[in-house]
Amino acid sequence: MEYIRLEGPVARGVGGVMKTRDGEETRMLVSDLVPGLAFQDTVYLDGGTLTVRHESHRDGAGSRLELHGRIEGPREAELAAELAGLEDVLAGDLAGLIALVEREQGE
């Protein structure tokens, strides 16, 4: 993912645009938010949706971050095949999120 631009502050129901690394922009929505614990975004694809839940869990002296994705819709099987390797992209995004949080905590 290259960027996400929201149309307002992060809150349930706020829409936006996500630009993939291949340059395609796609509509998205903050579909759930639990302040300080989790947020969920839903990306609208041709024939379905990709929903990714981002969660933070206390783990000893720090936190454990998790991402869970699911694809739904009439083209679910086709989209799953097209998005094969998504786990690698999410892992990279998660690593970037962890680095950001660690930088902000270090300041």
Side-chain angles (χ1 to χ4, degrees), residues 46-80:
D46 182 25
T49 59
L50 166 63
T51 300
V52 179
R53 185 160 186 87
H54 313 252
E55 298 180 359
S56 174
H57 303 276
R58 292 185 190 269
D59 190 5
S63 294
R64 177 174 38 91
L65 300 174
E66 295 181 5
L67 298 177
H68 304 275
R70 91 176 166 269
I71 299 169
E72 297 178 304
R75 290 189 54 232
E76 185 174 317
E78 291 173 63
L79 291 170

Side-chain angles (χ1 to χ4, degrees), residues 7-29:
E7 298 164 344
V10 177
R12 186 178 188 157
V14 171
V17 176
M18 175 183 296
K19 185 174 182 183
T20 61
R21 290 186 179 132
D22 66 5
E24 184 176 329
E25 286 191 340
T26 306
R27 295 287 307 155
M28 55 89 56
L29 174 79

